[in-house]
Amino acid sequence: MRLMPLLCFLMTVLLPCLTGEASAQTEPTAKTNFIVFIADDMAWDDCGAYGHPKIQTPNLNQLAADGMKFNHAYLTCSSCSPSRASIITGRYPHSTGAHQLHLPLPASQVTFVEKLKEAGYYTASAGKWHLGTPTESKFDLVTTKLNEWVATLKQRPKDKPFFMWFAFSDPHRPYQRNIIERPHTNEDVIVPPYLPDTPEVRGDLALYYDEITRLDSVVGDVRKELSAQKVASNTVVVFLSDNGRPFPRCKTTMYDSGIRTPWIVTWPEQIKAGSVCNSLVSSVDLAPTVLELAGLPVGETFQGKSFQPLLKKPEATTRGLIFAEHNWHDFEDFGRAVRSPRFKYIRNFYTDLPGTPPADAVRSDTYTKMLELRDAGKLTEDQQSCFQIPRQEVELYDVEADPHELNNLAGNPQYQEVQQELRTALEQWQEVTHDRLPRARRPDEFDRETGQQLPAFRKK
């Protein structure tokens, strides 16, 4: 990677996209239907389709076998509602007005769903709703009940093309035992090196696996209903997650364990079964892609870039970099990242704060055990990162050689050029998208050691 080619990329690819230049579009011969499945806190590699040998995900495995699996798909944020707001608007979280957890998406924000609705699509959302009241009117139907996915599909008007936003609450915490017929065991678990390998951690991960299996069964039920209605062949099905697993050094981080997502697309009429794409895609790209596949114009508000060319030619390239951010989520923080196919550059702006996981993960068996091991001096250096103060301001990783991002190359003379190139790209992106450091910090809502809500936030 050289600086001039990188800057050329930003000027010729990123900037036109941000200012509304859309690629040429073709009108499909028949209206295409869409279903988007969104998992809640599922890591990219926690299913059989992505190589996990023990997690029971037969339906996701079949989804990948029937369509295209993307190996390098990334989220713009590893935080629930900001990530979903980014997906539905095709904009980076700081550009949506909903960049922090639980902030509602403003009514003024344009979503790809309302564009489909205006074009005659029936639009429905079923399951977890984390976008706020103003966005409800952009759908024909919003139901927050769980287990209504198949029913929602059955009750659609049959004289209209449809778009369904099917959002799960799995595998979000808290967890319960025996929710599936054959629960996962501690022996089924793969423990990443940044977590201690103890029975408590394995047990926690096993329960997380169980929720993924429960989610998987819904995917199968919905696909059966599509076939029963004889609309499967002309329905694009997309499966992704909103962020990584709810464990330390995963969710709310900009490591791949936080922002890398499973991304599977099926479309029997157009996508070759068993396809694999290794090109970079971002969740900000989904909105313009859906609009393009529907034969609709991509307006100037959308900051992503359509990945439609990859569906026919998976070896093609639609972007050279992905960008991600982290803002307030239970705890104060502000960080930004840029990733190329090989390298990840992270900038931590609040180095005086540790990388504390979300409050529900702080209350988990895993974190409780980590606190015990930390106090006993029994955590490895890699397992102490979420407690580290001060944090390193700059992190640089060779993600091909170091997929868990444990060896920080920042400041290494051998990687000085790539560090500067990625820093420049990140700064350019921040400038183009009007990303600014907040004038004031938002206080933590929870205790970073116990995960309990602080007195100032308790309802009186």
Side-chain angles (χ1 to χ4, degrees), residues 361-373:
V362 170
R363 296 189 293 268
S364 70
D365 291 344
T366 293
Y367 198 76
T368 299
K369 187 63 179 180
M370 290 179 71
L371 288 172
E372 176 189 325
L373 294 174

Side-chain angles (χ1 to χ4, degrees), residues 125-174:
S125 171
K128 181 171 180 175
W129 182 255
H130 211 173
L131 295 165
T133 302
T135 306
E136 292 182 13
S137 63
K138 300 176 188 288
F139 288 80
D140 290 299
L141 171 72
V142 172
T143 175
T144 59
K145 294 181 180 179
L146 300 178
N147 301 319
E148 290 291 314
W149 297 286
V150 171
T152 300
L153 188 56
K154 284 183 174 181
Q155 70 183 40
R156 68 178 179 85
K158 301 304 187 290
D159 59 343
K160 289 185 176 183
F162 61 85
F163 169 83
M164 305 285 176
W165 175 276
F166 285 169
F168 301 101
S169 61
D170 289 338
H172 196 287
R173 293 180 183 277

Side-chain angles (χ1 to χ4, degrees), residues 38-81:
I38 301 182
D40 195 4
D41 295 5
M42 178 180 167
W44 73 275
D45 54 350
D46 284 337
C47 67
Y50 283 90
H52 198 292
K54 296 293 185 178
I55 296 181
Q56 304 163 45
T57 52
N59 295 294
L60 289 177
N61 299 352
Q62 188 62 52
L63 192 72
D66 292 342
M68 183 176 292
K69 178 179 69 172
F70 289 77
N71 285 330
H72 290 285
Y74 297 87
L75 302 157
T76 58
C77 186
S78 184
S79 177
C80 306
S81 59

Side-chain angles (χ1 to χ4, degrees), residues 70-321:
F70 289 77
N71 285 330
H72 290 285
Y74 297 87
L75 302 157
T76 58
C77 186
S78 184
S79 177
C80 306
S81 59
S83 179
R84 293 163 190 254
S86 178
I87 292 167
I88 205 167
T89 61
R91 296 173 65 79
Y92 291 100
H94 66 267
S95 298
T96 67
H99 57 294
Q100 296 180 348
L101 183 66
H102 301 318
L103 290 182
L105 184 65
S108 60
Q109 288 291 318
V110 177
T111 71
F112 74 90
V113 177
E114 69 200 78
K115 294 300 182 182
L116 292 172
K117 184 179 177 183
E118 291 168 2
Y121 274 76
Y122 175 74
T123 57
S125 171
K128 181 171 180 175
W129 182 255
H130 211 173
L131 295 165
T133 302
T135 306
E136 292 182 13
S137 63
K138 300 176 188 288
F139 288 80
D140 290 299
L141 171 72
V142 172
T143 175
T144 59
K145 294 181 180 179
L146 300 178
N147 301 319
E148 290 291 314
W149 297 286
V150 171
T152 300
L153 188 56
K154 284 183 174 181
Q155 70 183 40
R156 68 178 179 85
K158 301 304 187 290
D159 59 343
K160 289 185 176 183
F162 61 85
F163 169 83
M164 305 285 176
W165 175 276
F166 285 169
F168 301 101
S169 61
D170 289 338
H172 196 287
R173 293 180 183 277
Y175 300 143
Q176 295 178 323
R177 297 185 182 279
N178 300 314
I179 63 168
I180 62 173
E181 183 177 346
R182 184 168 59 86
H184 295 88
T185 67
N186 284 17
E187 289 70 32
D188 295 328
V189 168
I190 296 175
V191 182
Y194 46 79
L195 297 178
D197 191 347
T198 71
E200 294 85 356
V201 174
R202 283 182 172 267
D204 204 11
L205 283 165
L207 294 176
Y208 157 78
Y209 289 2
D210 288 352
E211 295 216 351
I212 294 174
T213 297
R214 181 167 63 180
L215 167 161
D216 178 85
S217 67
V218 174
V219 174
D221 291 342
V222 169
R223 295 193 74 199
K224 288 177 183 176
E225 180 60 27
L226 287 174
S227 296
Q229 294 186 21
K230 298 183 175 8
V231 293
S233 63
N234 194 39
T235 299
V236 176
V237 176
V238 181
F239 179 88
L240 74 157
S241 181
D242 61 350
N243 49 247
R245 67 178 74 88
F247 283 77
R249 210 180 183 274
C250 298
K251 180 179 176 179
T252 70
T253 77
M254 290 173 295
Y255 301 119
D256 276 12
S257 54
I259 63 169
R260 192 170 176 180
T261 178
W263 188 286
I264 304 171
V265 183
T266 62
W267 188 13
E269 286 191 351
Q270 300 289 335
I271 297 176
K272 182 181 178 181
S275 302
V276 177
C277 180
N278 290 309
S279 301
L280 293 175
V281 293
S282 170
S283 58
V284 79
D285 301 334
L286 182 61
T289 304
V290 170
L291 291 175
E292 191 170 273
L293 293 178
L296 299 175
V298 180
E300 63 181 11
T301 64
F302 297 96
Q303 296 176 324
K305 182 173 178 61
S306 172
F307 60 85
Q308 182 183 15
L310 303 180
L311 301 180
K312 285 290 187 69
K313 191 177 180 181
E315 67 275 13
T317 300
T318 55
R319 58 164 60 244
L321 300 170

